[in-house]
Amino acid sequence: MKRLLLTPGPVAVPSEIMVEMARPLIHHRTKEFEAVFAQAREGLKQIFQTENEVFILAASGTGAMEGAVVNTLSAGDKVITVNGGKFGERWGKIARAYGLEVDEIEVTWGEAVSPAVIKEKLESDPSIRAVLMQASETSTGVKHPTDQVAAITSKRDDVLLIVDGITAVGVFPLPFDELGIDVLVGGSQKAFMLPPGLSFATMSEKAWEFNKTSDLPKFYLNFADYQKSALKNTTPWTPAVTLIIGLGKVIGGFMEEGMENIYRKRELMSLATREALRAINIDLFTPDAPSPALTVGVAPEEIGAGKIISELQAKFGMTVAGGQDHAKGKIFRVSHIGDVDRNDMVAFISALESTLGSLGHDFTSGVGVAKVSEMLGTA
């Protein structure tokens, strides 16, 4: 039975990328590797839409998140964290681990943060040095209004906006320089269609000013070292050579297809999948602010998400993600990133209909498949 990975990370990796990474290994201190790195380096700048360096770390996305904190802030600094899911919660854990004072905005899971709340906190407390948030909260499928928050923080020289874009960069437009974001991070196992193991980070000039006085401990994640090495088309420490070779291939494909086309495809798959779920009487967990990276459905209470997920895996070879913490057993999450296309979305809705029908859910058979097929067309 063919396996189909439909989780929002790790994602399905295209076969041509796997073949590229299966080539004989090359040494990382050679002209050959520097040429590969240079291609990836320049491509990342285009995808992040920045003139600044984008650092390539041999670490998961959490490593880049930690690096964003330790390279800009100082012991005792006060920060706002937006906790609307497991990864928003992680910002608070990282900040507290380094002795920062955390003012946490708790957002109901499935909802986006209000920029007005952030603005009010910044205006009432001049000691706040940074806002830490997700552009796309993977655990809930929410797209937070990064652009609106950036419009607030970019007017302040004393406040940074640090953004987790791990399921945002490469999924929808998030122009770093234009918006005035100060630190933006990404990861390989999401829209970049690679196995886990790489993360990315870029910093604004304002963030580099903060870096001059930052006193938090940093060694492996010292971005100043990565900045110097990038100018020589390498990294300060041993890079994940195979993954960077794959990254170069991925970026080449992105440039050929065009980022706007990629954004449109992800948005359309997301919209079509949401409408298909509505057609088969499945509520959406994130109806008002959905991220195009994934769709999150609420399992019928009498069935539960666990049965749906296990049936899809056992009968159809499809792996989707469940909920975390208090959403566990209540929601299921299907990805629109990685090596997935319209055929995969049609197959998923068909399998979901079959699964729900066998579990006693009330809906008209075939309407979900018809809806997703109609909306995706030849996408």
PDB file of all heavy atoms in Angstrom, residues 173-208:
ATOM      1  N   PRO A 173       3.143  34.878   1.497  1.00  0.00           N
ATOM      2  CA  PRO A 173       4.086  35.995   1.506  1.00  0.00           C
ATOM      3  C   PRO A 173       4.329  36.508   2.917  1.00  0.00           C
ATOM      4  O   PRO A 173       3.385  36.773   3.667  1.00  0.00           O
ATOM      5  CB  PRO A 173       3.390  37.060   0.644  1.00  0.00           C
ATOM      6  CG  PRO A 173       2.439  36.288  -0.209  1.00  0.00           C
ATOM      7  CD  PRO A 173       1.975  35.140   0.617  1.00  0.00           C
ATOM      8  N   LEU A 174       5.597  36.664   3.270  1.00  0.00           N
ATOM      9  CA  LEU A 174       5.989  37.203   4.569  1.00  0.00           C
ATOM     10  C   LEU A 174       7.254  38.028   4.344  1.00  0.00           C
ATOM     11  O   LEU A 174       8.342  37.667   4.809  1.00  0.00           O
ATOM     12  CB  LEU A 174       6.242  36.063   5.555  1.00  0.00           C
ATOM     13  CG  LEU A 174       6.183  36.382   7.053  1.00  0.00           C
ATOM     14  CD1 LEU A 174       4.792  36.856   7.461  1.00  0.00           C
ATOM     15  CD2 LEU A 174       6.577  35.169   7.879  1.00  0.00           C
ATOM     16  N   PRO A 175       7.125  39.133   3.594  1.00  0.00           N
ATOM     17  CA  PRO A 175       8.304  39.901   3.176  1.00  0.00           C
ATOM     18  C   PRO A 175       9.014  40.557   4.358  1.00  0.00           C
ATOM     19  O   PRO A 175       8.539  41.539   4.911  1.00  0.00           O
ATOM     20  CB  PRO A 175       7.729  40.936   2.212  1.00  0.00           C
ATOM     21  CG  PRO A 175       6.288  41.073   2.606  1.00  0.00           C
ATOM     22  CD  PRO A 175       5.864  39.729   3.091  1.00  0.00           C
ATOM     23  N   PHE A 176      10.153  40.017   4.709  1.00  0.00           N
ATOM     24  CA  PHE A 176      10.883  40.412   5.913  1.00  0.00           C
ATOM     25  C   PHE A 176      11.224  41.894   5.916  1.00  0.00           C
ATOM     26  O   PHE A 176      10.884  42.621   6.854  1.00  0.00           O
ATOM     27  CB  PHE A 176      12.154  39.570   6.023  1.00  0.00           C
ATOM     28  CG  PHE A 176      12.972  39.841   7.254  1.00  0.00           C
ATOM     29  CD1 PHE A 176      12.653  39.243   8.455  1.00  0.00           C
ATOM     30  CD2 PHE A 176      14.085  40.679   7.204  1.00  0.00           C
ATOM     31  CE1 PHE A 176      13.410  39.483   9.604  1.00  0.00           C
ATOM     32  CE2 PHE A 176      14.845  40.922   8.328  1.00  0.00           C
ATOM     33  CZ  PHE A 176      14.503  40.326   9.537  1.00  0.00           C
ATOM     34  N   ASP A 177      11.894  42.358   4.884  1.00  0.00           N
ATOM     35  CA  ASP A 177      12.330  43.756   4.843  1.00  0.00           C
ATOM     36  C   ASP A 177      11.144  44.708   4.753  1.00  0.00           C
ATOM     37  O   ASP A 177      11.088  45.723   5.459  1.00  0.00           O
ATOM     38  CB  ASP A 177      13.264  43.992   3.650  1.00  0.00           C
ATOM     39  CG  ASP A 177      14.608  43.307   3.827  1.00  0.00           C
ATOM     40  OD1 ASP A 177      14.884  42.808   4.929  1.00  0.00           O
ATOM     41  OD2 ASP A 177      15.384  43.258   2.847  1.00  0.00           O
ATOM     42  N   GLU A 178      10.194  44.388   3.917  1.00  0.00           N
ATOM     43  CA  GLU A 178       9.054  45.277   3.686  1.00  0.00           C
ATOM     44  C   GLU A 178       8.198  45.446   4.939  1.00  0.00           C
ATOM     45  O   GLU A 178       7.764  46.555   5.270  1.00  0.00           O
ATOM     46  CB  GLU A 178       8.203  44.727   2.545  1.00  0.00           C
ATOM     47  CG  GLU A 178       6.964  45.556   2.226  1.00  0.00           C
ATOM     48  CD  GLU A 178       6.114  44.921   1.148  1.00  0.00           C
ATOM     49  OE1 GLU A 178       6.680  44.255   0.251  1.00  0.00           O
ATOM     50  OE2 GLU A 178       4.882  45.078   1.211  1.00  0.00           O
ATOM     51  N   LEU A 179       7.959  44.346   5.646  1.00  0.00           N
ATOM     52  CA  LEU A 179       7.098  44.404   6.831  1.00  0.00           C
ATOM     53  C   LEU A 179       7.800  45.015   8.038  1.00  0.00           C
ATOM     54  O   LEU A 179       7.148  45.544   8.931  1.00  0.00           O
ATOM     55  CB  LEU A 179       6.591  43.004   7.190  1.00  0.00           C
ATOM     56  CG  LEU A 179       5.611  42.352   6.218  1.00  0.00           C
ATOM     57  CD1 LEU A 179       5.198  40.980   6.734  1.00  0.00           C
ATOM     58  CD2 LEU A 179       4.389  43.231   5.991  1.00  0.00           C
ATOM     59  N   GLY A 180       9.119  44.901   8.080  1.00  0.00           N
ATOM     60  CA  GLY A 180       9.839  45.403   9.235  1.00  0.00           C
ATOM     61  C   GLY A 180       9.916  44.401  10.373  1.00  0.00           C
ATOM     62  O   GLY A 180       9.986  44.784  11.545  1.00  0.00           O
ATOM     63  N   ILE A 181       9.911  43.110  10.048  1.00  0.00           N
ATOM     64  CA  ILE A 181      10.162  42.070  11.042  1.00  0.00           C
ATOM     65  C   ILE A 181      11.631  42.157  11.445  1.00  0.00           C
ATOM     66  O   ILE A 181      12.483  42.543  10.641  1.00  0.00           O
ATOM     67  CB  ILE A 181       9.837  40.679  10.457  1.00  0.00           C
ATOM     68  CG1 ILE A 181       8.364  40.613  10.040  1.00  0.00           C
ATOM     69  CG2 ILE A 181      10.163  39.563  11.446  1.00  0.00           C
ATOM     70  CD1 ILE A 181       8.013  39.390   9.216  1.00  0.00           C
ATOM     71  N   ASP A 182      11.958  41.794  12.675  1.00  0.00           N
ATOM     72  CA  ASP A 182      13.345  41.923  13.135  1.00  0.00           C
ATOM     73  C   ASP A 182      14.113  40.604  13.168  1.00  0.00           C
ATOM     74  O   ASP A 182      15.302  40.589  12.901  1.00  0.00           O
ATOM     75  CB  ASP A 182      13.361  42.587  14.515  1.00  0.00           C
ATOM     76  CG  ASP A 182      12.851  44.007  14.437  1.00  0.00           C
ATOM     77  OD1 ASP A 182      13.450  44.799  13.690  1.00  0.00           O
ATOM     78  OD2 ASP A 182      11.839  44.319  15.089  1.00  0.00           O
ATOM     79  N   VAL A 183      13.454  39.520  13.512  1.00  0.00           N
ATOM     80  CA  VAL A 183      14.064  38.198  13.382  1.00  0.00           C
ATOM     81  C   VAL A 183      12.987  37.257  12.867  1.00  0.00           C
ATOM     82  O   VAL A 183      11.863  37.258  13.373  1.00  0.00           O
ATOM     83  CB  VAL A 183      14.620  37.652  14.720  1.00  0.00           C
ATOM     84  CG1 VAL A 183      15.414  36.363  14.473  1.00  0.00           C
ATOM     85  CG2 VAL A 183      15.486  38.678  15.434  1.00  0.00           C
ATOM     86  N   LEU A 184      13.324  36.473  11.850  1.00  0.00           N
ATOM     87  CA  LEU A 184      12.390  35.523  11.272  1.00  0.00           C
ATOM     88  C   LEU A 184      13.094  34.191  11.120  1.00  0.00           C
ATOM     89  O   LEU A 184      14.212  34.128  10.598  1.00  0.00           O
ATOM     90  CB  LEU A 184      11.898  36.019   9.912  1.00  0.00           C
ATOM     91  CG  LEU A 184      10.936  35.114   9.138  1.00  0.00           C
ATOM     92  CD1 LEU A 184       9.641  34.895   9.911  1.00  0.00           C
ATOM     93  CD2 LEU A 184      10.640  35.717   7.755  1.00  0.00           C
ATOM     94  N   VAL A 185      12.442  33.117  11.568  1.00  0.00           N
ATOM     95  CA  VAL A 185      13.057  31.790  11.493  1.00  0.00           C
ATOM     96  C   VAL A 185      12.192  30.850  10.658  1.00  0.00           C
ATOM     97  O   VAL A 185      10.974  31.032  10.528  1.00  0.00           O
ATOM     98  CB  VAL A 185      13.292  31.191  12.895  1.00  0.00           C
ATOM     99  CG1 VAL A 185      14.114  32.127  13.750  1.00  0.00           C
ATOM    100  CG2 VAL A 185      11.983  30.846  13.594  1.00  0.00           C
ATOM    101  N   GLY A 186      12.830  29.849  10.084  1.00  0.00           N
ATOM    102  CA  GLY A 186      12.143  28.830   9.287  1.00  0.00           C
ATOM    103  C   GLY A 186      12.763  27.472   9.536  1.00  0.00           C
ATOM    104  O   GLY A 186      13.733  27.343  10.287  1.00  0.00           O
ATOM    105  N   GLY A 187      12.202  26.442   8.899  1.00  0.00           N
ATOM    106  CA  GLY A 187      12.704  25.094   9.101  1.00  0.00           C
ATOM    107  C   GLY A 187      12.609  24.267   7.837  1.00  0.00           C
ATOM    108  O   GLY A 187      11.744  24.495   6.986  1.00  0.00           O
ATOM    109  N   SER A 188      13.487  23.266   7.722  1.00  0.00           N
ATOM    110  CA  SER A 188      13.595  22.485   6.491  1.00  0.00           C
ATOM    111  C   SER A 188      12.428  21.536   6.259  1.00  0.00           C
ATOM    112  O   SER A 188      12.067  21.247   5.116  1.00  0.00           O
ATOM    113  CB  SER A 188      14.902  21.675   6.497  1.00  0.00           C
ATOM    114  OG  SER A 188      14.946  20.761   7.596  1.00  0.00           O
ATOM    115  N   GLN A 189      11.819  21.021   7.338  1.00  0.00           N
ATOM    116  CA  GLN A 189      10.838  19.939   7.209  1.00  0.00           C
ATOM    117  C   GLN A 189       9.420  20.428   6.986  1.00  0.00           C
ATOM    118  O   GLN A 189       8.459  19.698   7.180  1.00  0.00           O
ATOM    119  CB  GLN A 189      10.886  19.039   8.448  1.00  0.00           C
ATOM    120  CG  GLN A 189      10.226  19.601   9.706  1.00  0.00           C
ATOM    121  CD  GLN A 189      11.112  20.545  10.499  1.00  0.00           C
ATOM    122  OE1 GLN A 189      12.053  21.118   9.970  1.00  0.00           O
ATOM    123  NE2 GLN A 189      10.815  20.702  11.772  1.00  0.00           N
ATOM    124  N   LYS A 190       9.292  21.674   6.532  1.00  0.00           N
ATOM    125  CA  LYS A 190       7.971  22.243   6.276  1.00  0.00           C
ATOM    126  C   LYS A 190       7.853  22.577   4.784  1.00  0.00           C
ATOM    127  O   LYS A 190       7.930  21.690   3.962  1.00  0.00           O
ATOM    128  CB  LYS A 190       7.756  23.474   7.156  1.00  0.00           C
ATOM    129  CG  LYS A 190       8.027  23.227   8.641  1.00  0.00           C
ATOM    130  CD  LYS A 190       6.983  22.352   9.311  1.00  0.00           C
ATOM    131  CE  LYS A 190       7.235  22.238  10.800  1.00  0.00           C
ATOM    132  NZ  LYS A 190       6.175  21.484  11.506  1.00  0.00           N
ATOM    133  N   ALA A 191       7.691  23.845   4.440  1.00  0.00           N
ATOM    134  CA  ALA A 191       7.498  24.222   3.039  1.00  0.00           C
ATOM    135  C   ALA A 191       8.734  23.948   2.184  1.00  0.00           C
ATOM    136  O   ALA A 191       8.622  23.875   0.957  1.00  0.00           O
ATOM    137  CB  ALA A 191       7.115  25.689   2.935  1.00  0.00           C
ATOM    138  N   PHE A 192       9.892  23.793   2.835  1.00  0.00           N
ATOM    139  CA  PHE A 192      11.116  23.546   2.060  1.00  0.00           C
ATOM    140  C   PHE A 192      11.246  22.093   1.616  1.00  0.00           C
ATOM    141  O   PHE A 192      12.224  21.730   0.961  1.00  0.00           O
ATOM    142  CB  PHE A 192      12.347  23.985   2.860  1.00  0.00           C
ATOM    143  CG  PHE A 192      12.512  25.481   2.929  1.00  0.00           C
ATOM    144  CD1 PHE A 192      11.938  26.214   3.945  1.00  0.00           C
ATOM    145  CD2 PHE A 192      13.208  26.154   1.941  1.00  0.00           C
ATOM    146  CE1 PHE A 192      12.071  27.595   4.006  1.00  0.00           C
ATOM    147  CE2 PHE A 192      13.358  27.536   1.973  1.00  0.00           C
ATOM    148  CZ  PHE A 192      12.776  28.254   3.012  1.00  0.00           C
ATOM    149  N   MET A 193      10.301  21.246   2.004  1.00  0.00           N
ATOM    150  CA  MET A 193      10.190  19.882   1.458  1.00  0.00           C
ATOM    151  C   MET A 193      11.444  19.040   1.662  1.00  0.00           C
ATOM    152  O   MET A 193      11.837  18.275   0.789  1.00  0.00           O
ATOM    153  CB  MET A 193       9.828  19.928  -0.028  1.00  0.00           C
ATOM    154  CG  MET A 193       8.524  20.627  -0.328  1.00  0.00           C
ATOM    155  SD  MET A 193       7.954  20.441  -2.038  1.00  0.00           S
ATOM    156  CE  MET A 193       9.265  21.246  -2.947  1.00  0.00           C
ATOM    157  N   LEU A 194      12.076  19.193   2.815  1.00  0.00           N
ATOM    158  CA  LEU A 194      13.273  18.423   3.142  1.00  0.00           C
ATOM    159  C   LEU A 194      13.035  17.634   4.419  1.00  0.00           C
ATOM    160  O   LEU A 194      12.106  17.915   5.173  1.00  0.00           O
ATOM    161  CB  LEU A 194      14.465  19.372   3.353  1.00  0.00           C
ATOM    162  CG  LEU A 194      15.007  20.091   2.128  1.00  0.00           C
ATOM    163  CD1 LEU A 194      15.976  21.188   2.554  1.00  0.00           C
ATOM    164  CD2 LEU A 194      15.713  19.103   1.196  1.00  0.00           C
ATOM    165  N   PRO A 195      13.884  16.648   4.707  1.00  0.00           N
ATOM    166  CA  PRO A 195      13.807  15.995   6.011  1.00  0.00           C
ATOM    167  C   PRO A 195      14.147  16.994   7.122  1.00  0.00           C
ATOM    168  O   PRO A 195      14.733  18.055   6.865  1.00  0.00           O
ATOM    169  CB  PRO A 195      14.883  14.893   5.920  1.00  0.00           C
ATOM    170  CG  PRO A 195      15.079  14.659   4.463  1.00  0.00           C
ATOM    171  CD  PRO A 195      14.876  16.002   3.826  1.00  0.00           C
ATOM    172  N   PRO A 196      13.786  16.687   8.361  1.00  0.00           N
ATOM    173  CA  PRO A 196      14.165  17.566   9.474  1.00  0.00           C
ATOM    174  C   PRO A 196      15.679  17.662   9.602  1.00  0.00           C
ATOM    175  O   PRO A 196      16.410  16.749   9.212  1.00  0.00           O
ATOM    176  CB  PRO A 196      13.563  16.862  10.700  1.00  0.00           C
ATOM    177  CG  PRO A 196      12.500  15.961  10.147  1.00  0.00           C
ATOM    178  CD  PRO A 196      12.987  15.541   8.805  1.00  0.00           C
ATOM    179  N   GLY A 197      16.148  18.785  10.175  1.00  0.00           N
ATOM    180  CA  GLY A 197      17.574  18.914  10.442  1.00  0.00           C
ATOM    181  C   GLY A 197      18.181  20.269  10.137  1.00  0.00           C
ATOM    182  O   GLY A 197      19.273  20.571  10.605  1.00  0.00           O
ATOM    183  N   LEU A 198      17.478  21.083   9.352  1.00  0.00           N
ATOM    184  CA  LEU A 198      17.959  22.442   9.079  1.00  0.00           C
ATOM    185  C   LEU A 198      16.967  23.455   9.619  1.00  0.00           C
ATOM    186  O   LEU A 198      15.758  23.224   9.615  1.00  0.00           O
ATOM    187  CB  LEU A 198      18.096  22.703   7.570  1.00  0.00           C
ATOM    188  CG  LEU A 198      19.184  22.013   6.774  1.00  0.00           C
ATOM    189  CD1 LEU A 198      19.137  22.499   5.323  1.00  0.00           C
ATOM    190  CD2 LEU A 198      20.552  22.250   7.369  1.00  0.00           C
ATOM    191  N   SER A 199      17.472  24.583  10.072  1.00  0.00           N
ATOM    192  CA  SER A 199      16.619  25.735  10.349  1.00  0.00           C
ATOM    193  C   SER A 199      17.307  26.979   9.818  1.00  0.00           C
ATOM    194  O   SER A 199      18.509  26.975   9.538  1.00  0.00           O
ATOM    195  CB  SER A 199      16.305  25.860  11.844  1.00  0.00           C
ATOM    196  OG  SER A 199      17.484  25.952  12.615  1.00  0.00           O
ATOM    197  N   PHE A 200      16.529  28.040   9.664  1.00  0.00           N
ATOM    198  CA  PHE A 200      17.006  29.270   9.044  1.00  0.00           C
ATOM    199  C   PHE A 200      16.637  30.456   9.922  1.00  0.00           C
ATOM    200  O   PHE A 200      15.637  30.438  10.626  1.00  0.00           O
ATOM    201  CB  PHE A 200      16.378  29.436   7.660  1.00  0.00           C
ATOM    202  CG  PHE A 200      16.330  28.173   6.850  1.00  0.00           C
ATOM    203  CD1 PHE A 200      15.126  27.516   6.612  1.00  0.00           C
ATOM    204  CD2 PHE A 200      17.494  27.621   6.354  1.00  0.00           C
ATOM    205  CE1 PHE A 200      15.076  26.350   5.887  1.00  0.00           C
ATOM    206  CE2 PHE A 200      17.466  26.440   5.612  1.00  0.00           C
ATOM    207  CZ  PHE A 200      16.255  25.804   5.381  1.00  0.00           C
ATOM    208  N   ALA A 201      17.452  31.494   9.853  1.00  0.00           N
ATOM    209  CA  ALA A 201      17.157  32.713  10.610  1.00  0.00           C
ATOM    210  C   ALA A 201      17.779  33.912   9.921  1.00  0.00           C
ATOM    211  O   ALA A 201      18.888  33.824   9.369  1.00  0.00           O
ATOM    212  CB  ALA A 201      17.695  32.604  12.035  1.00  0.00           C
ATOM    213  N   THR A 202      17.056  35.023   9.956  1.00  0.00           N
ATOM    214  CA  THR A 202      17.609  36.277   9.452  1.00  0.00           C
ATOM    215  C   THR A 202      17.279  37.394  10.439  1.00  0.00           C
ATOM    216  O   THR A 202      16.287  37.311  11.169  1.00  0.00           O
ATOM    217  CB  THR A 202      17.061  36.601   8.042  1.00  0.00           C
ATOM    218  OG1 THR A 202      17.767  37.723   7.506  1.00  0.00           O
ATOM    219  CG2 THR A 202      15.582  36.901   8.064  1.00  0.00           C
ATOM    220  N   MET A 203      18.139  38.427  10.469  1.00  0.00           N
ATOM    221  CA  MET A 203      18.000  39.521  11.436  1.00  0.00           C
ATOM    222  C   MET A 203      18.061  40.873  10.742  1.00  0.00           C
ATOM    223  O   MET A 203      18.819  41.070   9.802  1.00  0.00           O
ATOM    224  CB  MET A 203      19.111  39.449  12.494  1.00  0.00           C
ATOM    225  CG  MET A 203      18.954  38.249  13.386  1.00  0.00           C
ATOM    226  SD  MET A 203      20.142  38.078  14.763  1.00  0.00           S
ATOM    227  CE  MET A 203      20.824  39.670  15.038  1.00  0.00           C
ATOM    228  N   SER A 204      17.251  41.804  11.239  1.00  0.00           N
ATOM    229  CA  SER A 204      17.238  43.170  10.720  1.00  0.00           C
ATOM    230  C   SER A 204      18.393  43.974  11.301  1.00  0.00           C
ATOM    231  O   SER A 204      19.075  43.538  12.243  1.00  0.00           O
ATOM    232  CB  SER A 204      15.916  43.850  11.091  1.00  0.00           C
ATOM    233  OG  SER A 204      15.869  44.082  12.505  1.00  0.00           O
ATOM    234  N   GLU A 205      18.584  45.179  10.775  1.00  0.00           N
ATOM    235  CA  GLU A 205      19.609  46.066  11.324  1.00  0.00           C
ATOM    236  C   GLU A 205      19.287  46.431  12.772  1.00  0.00           C
ATOM    237  O   GLU A 205      20.181  46.541  13.609  1.00  0.00           O
ATOM    238  CB  GLU A 205      19.709  47.336  10.469  1.00  0.00           C
ATOM    239  CG  GLU A 205      20.318  47.105   9.088  1.00  0.00           C
ATOM    240  CD  GLU A 205      21.708  46.477   9.161  1.00  0.00           C
ATOM    241  OE1 GLU A 205      22.509  46.930  10.013  1.00  0.00           O
ATOM    242  OE2 GLU A 205      21.979  45.535   8.397  1.00  0.00           O
ATOM    243  N   LYS A 206      17.999  46.611  13.071  1.00  0.00           N
ATOM    244  CA  LYS A 206      17.615  46.892  14.447  1.00  0.00           C
ATOM    245  C   LYS A 206      18.004  45.734  15.365  1.00  0.00           C
ATOM    246  O   LYS A 206      18.513  45.940  16.470  1.00  0.00           O
ATOM    247  CB  LYS A 206      16.108  47.139  14.544  1.00  0.00           C
ATOM    248  CG  LYS A 206      15.656  47.672  15.902  1.00  0.00           C
ATOM    249  CD  LYS A 206      14.191  47.360  16.227  1.00  0.00           C
ATOM    250  CE  LYS A 206      13.231  47.994  15.267  1.00  0.00           C
ATOM    251  NZ  LYS A 206      11.800  47.794  15.713  1.00  0.00           N
ATOM    252  N   ALA A 207      17.775  44.523  14.904  1.00  0.00           N
ATOM    253  CA  ALA A 207      18.133  43.349  15.701  1.00  0.00           C
ATOM    254  C   ALA A 207      19.644  43.272  15.928  1.00  0.00           C
ATOM    255  O   ALA A 207      20.103  42.884  17.010  1.00  0.00           O
ATOM    256  CB  ALA A 207      17.634  42.085  15.017  1.00  0.00           C
ATOM    257  N   TRP A 208      20.410  43.670  14.915  1.00  0.00           N
ATOM    258  CA  TRP A 208      21.877  43.671  15.081  1.00  0.00           C
ATOM    259  C   TRP A 208      22.308  44.729  16.098  1.00  0.00           C
ATOM    260  O   TRP A 208      23.314  44.539  16.799  1.00  0.00           O
ATOM    261  CB  TRP A 208      22.575  43.887  13.743  1.00  0.00           C
ATOM    262  CG  TRP A 208      22.638  42.628  12.914  1.00  0.00           C
ATOM    263  CD1 TRP A 208      22.018  42.374  11.738  1.00  0.00           C
ATOM    264  CD2 TRP A 208      23.371  41.434  13.240  1.00  0.00           C
ATOM    265  NE1 TRP A 208      22.303  41.109  11.298  1.00  0.00           N
ATOM    266  CE2 TRP A 208      23.139  40.512  12.192  1.00  0.00           C
ATOM    267  CE3 TRP A 208      24.199  41.061  14.291  1.00  0.00           C
ATOM    268  CZ2 TRP A 208      23.698  39.229  12.183  1.00  0.00           C
ATOM    269  CZ3 TRP A 208      24.760  39.786  14.287  1.00  0.00           C
ATOM    270  CH2 TRP A 208      24.516  38.888  13.253  1.00  0.00           C
TER     271      TRP A 208
END
